[in-house]
C-alpha cells in the first residue's frame, strides 16, 4: 500500500515504529522548534514549569520576534526581551534580531533552516508554510512548543490526506494566491480540518517558490494540519542555494490513499477575492462590488516575498501611475533580506514616489498589531491570509484578501480593481 | 469530575481573533486576557460571565491562530467547559494542554440554547441539558490525551513523565 507525504515523513521521525498510516497516534522527533514574540513567552513559562533546564538542541530551537516587532510599546518590548534573555541563557545558535530577520515564515526558509523531509513544529498557525519546501510543518500552541523545546519530541495523529490537482494555463494576474483562495472557497474554512493537503498537477510545476509558499501558508485557513508542494527542480534550486545541513526529499507514492481528490481547471479562472469576514467567502473579482477603499496592505508571510513586491513594481513601472492619494498604502517586505533586494532594485524609491509607505519587516498590520490598524467601517485590500472580524483592527473594519497585483491596482484606483483596468 | 453551568451559545467557525483579539496579546496574564474574552463577537460576555459557565459552539470552534491566549482567556474568565460540534486542531490541543475541559458532541451542541443549564460528567463524557432532560454522550478521548487531562495538563504531565525517568 502506497504512502502519502505526511505518512512518509512522520514514519521517518517516529519513535518505536517504522511505518504509520492515517489515524495512528505517534510520538515523533522534531527537526526544528519555532516560536515568535506572542507565543514564545508562554512556551518559555511552560518549559520552565516542566522543570527542564536546557533545550533539547540549541541549534534547532528558533525564537523570532515578528508580530509586534520592532517593539510597539513597553509590554511588547517586555515580551521580546524574554525571547532575547532565553536565547542568551540557552546559547541558541540562531538569533533573529530586528534589522537582521523579519517574519519567521519568510526568514527560516530563506536562511535554509527548514528543509525538505523535516518535521517542524512552530508556535504559529502559519508554520504550515514550510510545506512549500516539502517539510511536514504544523502550528501548535505554546505549551506544546514548550514540551518540544524541552524534549525534541511531540505527539501527532497521522492525518488523512486530501489531494488537489491543478490543470490549465493561468491567465495574466492569476497567481498561487488565487489558486489557494479558490481552493479554500470551495472546501470551506473547515474543509481540511485535521488533514494534510497535497497540491499537485501541471499548473503547480509552473509556480515560483514564492507562490508555493503562499499556497502552503494558507493551508491552515482550510483547517489543515499541514500541506505539501511536490519536491521538483524549482524546489531543489531554491534549497540547494541555502541548505544549512543535509536533507532528504520525500515523494508521495502513486498508489497512496487519499480521502478525496479535487481537480481545478485554471484556464478560465479570474483573480479571486476573499470577502469579509472569512477566508472562505471567495468570489471571482468580477463578481465583487468595486467599492472604495481606505487602505492597502502588501506584505505578510503570505505575500511579502521578493516576487510579490516585483509584481507591484512591474505594475507601477508599466503604467507610470501613482497610488491614489485617498488610500494609505503599506508595503512591508517579509524579511530584511527581501528589503535589501527591493532596495537594490530601486523599488523603495519607486514605491515611495508613488505615495506608498515602506516599512521595516514585521507581521504588524496583518493581525491588527501595529503599522496600519483599521478604524471602524474602514475598508482594506490586503495580501495577507485572514479577514476575520477584528483581525486588522476595529471589529467593524472590512478586509478583502487578494493577490499583490489586485492590491496594487486597487491602491492606484482607490477602489477594488482588476489590474486590466489600468 | 462533575460540572454544572449556564450556556453561552455561539455559531460555527468561532475564530481565535474574536475569542481574544491580537491587540491584547501583549500580556500572558489570564485575568487581563479574560477582561477581553469574546470581545469582538459578544461585547457583554466578559462583564456577565459567571464562574462555572459553559461555552457551546458549532463546528470548527477556535479556528485561526495558534494563540494559546484564546483558551487561557476563556479559562481565566471562569468558564468550566466548552462543548462544540467540533474543534479546530490547534485549539483542541491548547485547551487540553492547559487543563480546560472540552467536549465534542454534535447533538448536545445543537440542542443547547443560551441560558440553558448543562450538567457534565467529565469522566463518563456525558452532557445533560437540564431544560430538556436529554443526556448526550461526547466523543471519547484517545488514551494518550486522557493521560494529559488526568494529569491536569501538559506541564504536570511532563513533570510526571520526566520524574519517572529520573527516579528510574
Amino acid at each position: 500500500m502506497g504512502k502519502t507525504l505526511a505518512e512518509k515523513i512522520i514514519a521517518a521521525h517516529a519513535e518505536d515504529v517504522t511505518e504509520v498510516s492515517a489515524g495512528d497516534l505517534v510520538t515523533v522527533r522534531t527537526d526544528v522548534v519555532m516560536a515568535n514574540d506572542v507565543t514564545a513567552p508562554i512556551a518559555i513559562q511552560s518549559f520552565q514549569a516542566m522543570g527542564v533546564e536546557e533545550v533539547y538542541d540549541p541549534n534547532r530551537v528558533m525564537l523570532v520576534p515578528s508580530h509586534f516587532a520592532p517593539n510597539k510599546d513597553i509590554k511588547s518590548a517586555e515580551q521580546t526581551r524574554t525571547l532575547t534573555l532565553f536565547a542568551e541563557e540557552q546559547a541558541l545558535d540562531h538569533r533573529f534580531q530586528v534589522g537582521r530577520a523579519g517574519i519567521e515564515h519568510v526568514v527560516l526558509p530563506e536562511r535554509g533552516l527548514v528543509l525538505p523531509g523535516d518535521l517542524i513544529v512552530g508556535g504559529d498557525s502559519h508554520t504550515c508554510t514550510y510545506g512549500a519546501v516539502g517539510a511536514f510543518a504544523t502550528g501548535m500552541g505554546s505549551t506544546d512548543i514548550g514540551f518540544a523545546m524541552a524534549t525534541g519530541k511531540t505527539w501527532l495523529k497521522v492525518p488523512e490526506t486530501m489531494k488537489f490537482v491543478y490543470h490549465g494555463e493561468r491567465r495574466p494576474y492569476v497567481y498561487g494566491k488565487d489558486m489557494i483562495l479558490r481552493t479554500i472557497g470551495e472546501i470551506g474554512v473547515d474543509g481540511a480540518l485535521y488533514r494534510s493537503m497535497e497540491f499537485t498537477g501541471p499548473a503547480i510545476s509552473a509556480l515560483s517558490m514564492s507562490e508555493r509558499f503562499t499556497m502552503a501558508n494558507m493551508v491552515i485557513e482550510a483547517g489543515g494540519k499541514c500541506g505539501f508542494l511536490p519536491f521538483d527542480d524549482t524546489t531543489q534550486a531554491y534549497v540547494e542555494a541555502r541548505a544549512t545541513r543535509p536533507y532528504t526529499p520525500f515523494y508521495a507514492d502513486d498508489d497512496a490513499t487519499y480521502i478525496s481528490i479535487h481537480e481545478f481547471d485554471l484556464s478560465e479562472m479570474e483573480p479571486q477575492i476573499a470577502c469579509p469576514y472569512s477566508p472562505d467567502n471567495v468570489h471571482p473579482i468580477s463578481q465583487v462590488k468595486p467599492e472604495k477603499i481606505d487602505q492597502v496592505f502588501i506584505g505578510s508571510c503570505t505575500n511579502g516575498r521578493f516576487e510579490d513586491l516585483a509584481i507591484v513594481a512591474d505594475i507601477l513601472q508599466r503604467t507610470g501611475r501613482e497610488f491614489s492619494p485617498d488610500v494609505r498604502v503599506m508595503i512591508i517586505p517579509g524579511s530584511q533580506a527581501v528589503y535589501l533586494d527591493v532596495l537594490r532594485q530601486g523599488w523603495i524609491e519607486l514605491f515611495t514616489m508613488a505615495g506608498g509607505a515602506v516599512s521595516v519587516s514585521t507581521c504588524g498590520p496583518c493581525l491588527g498589531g501595529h503599522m496600519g490598524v483599521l478604524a471602524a467601517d474602514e475598508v482594506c485590500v490586503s495580501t495577507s491570509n485572514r479577514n476575520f472580524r477584528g483581525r486588522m483592527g476595529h471589529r467593524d473594519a472590512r478586509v478583502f484578501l487578494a493577490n499583490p497585483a489586485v492590491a496594487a491596482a486597487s491602491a492606484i484606483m482607490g477602489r477594488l480593481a482588476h489590474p486590466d483596468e489600468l | 469530575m462533575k460540572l454544572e453551568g449556564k450556556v453561552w451559545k455561539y455559531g460555527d467557525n468561532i475564530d481565535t481573533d474574536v475569542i481574544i483579539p491580537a491587540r491584547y496579546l501583549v500580556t500572558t496574564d489570564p485575568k487581563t486576557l479574560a477582561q477581553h474574552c469574546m470581545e469582538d463577537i459578544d461585547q457583554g460576555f466578559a462583564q456577565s460571565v459567571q464562574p462555572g459557565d459553559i461555552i457551546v459552539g458549532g463546528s470548527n470552534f477556535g479556528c485561526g491562530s495558534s494563540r494559546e491566549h484564546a483558551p487561557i482567556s476563556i479559562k481565566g474568565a471562569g468558564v468550566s467547559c466548552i462543548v462544540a460540534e467540533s474543534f479546530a486542531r490547534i485549539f483542541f490541543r491548547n485547551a487540553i494542554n492547559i487543563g480546560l475541559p472540552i467536549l465534542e458532541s454534535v447533538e448536545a451542541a445543537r440542542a443547547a440554547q443560551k441560558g440553558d443549564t448543562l450538567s457534565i460528567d467529565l469522566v463518563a463524557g456525558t452532557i445533560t441539558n437540564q431544560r430538556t432532560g436529554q443526556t448526550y454522550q461526547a466523543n471519547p478521548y484517545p488514551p494518550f490525551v486522557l493521560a494529559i487531562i488526568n494529569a491536569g495538563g501538559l506541564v504536570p504531565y511532563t513533570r510526571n513523565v520526566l520524574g519517572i525517568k529520573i527516579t528510574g
Side-chain angles (χ1 to χ4, degrees), chain A residues 276-277 373-378 387-399, chain B residues 10 17-18 21 23-24 38-44:
Chain A
Y277 286 102
V373 177
L374 301 173
D377 303 322
E378 284 195 324
N387 59 351
F388 299 134
R389 210 175 251 285
R391 173 71 182 181
M392 291 184 68
H394 194 277
R395 65 190 299 280
D396 294 328
R398 299 165 68 232
V399 176
Chain B
Y10 300 102
D17 278 294
V18 297
R23 56 188 177 272
Y24 302 120
M38 307 304 275
E39 186 170 296
D40 278 357
I41 189 168
D42 182 353
Q43 284 168 310

Side-chain angles (χ1 to χ4, degrees), chain B residues 60-116:
Chain B
N60 200 27
F61 188 94
C63 63
S65 145
S66 71
R67 61 189 71 160
E68 204 160 288
H69 311 65
I72 290 173
S73 73
I74 291 173
K75 195 181 178 196
V79 169
S80 64
C81 184
I82 307 173
V83 177
E85 293 180 33
S86 64
F87 290 91
R89 191 187 63 79
I90 303 174
F91 185 92
F92 181 91
R93 292 181 74 113
N94 286 348
I96 299 291
N97 286 345
I98 65 160
L100 171 65
I102 57 174
L103 292 174
E104 267 184 356
S105 167
V106 172
E107 296 77 18
R110 286 192 183 157
Q113 295 175 6
K114 185 172 184 187
D116 284 357

Side-chain angles (χ1 to χ4, degrees), chain A residues 295-364:
Chain A
Q295 179 168 307
V296 168
F297 168 46
I298 299 166
S300 83
C301 58
T302 314
N303 282 117
R305 295 181 181 80
F306 181 79
E307 293 82 352
D308 299 314
L309 301 182
I311 293 167
V312 179
D314 177 60
I315 287 176
L316 287 172
Q317 283 167 335
R318 274 191 299 113
T319 62
R321 303 276 297 263
E322 290 182 3
F323 299 131
S324 162
D326 298 329
V327 179
R328 307 185 297 269
V329 184
M330 301 298 307
I331 301 173
I332 306 188
S335 70
Q336 288 301 94
V338 174
Y339 189 100
L340 189 58
D341 287 344
V342 167
L343 178 75
R344 286 176 171 154
Q345 295 291 329
W347 298 342
I348 303 269
E349 184 177 355
L350 176 73
F351 296 153
T352 307
M353 292 294 287
V358 186
S359 151
V360 61
S361 184
T362 179
C363 303

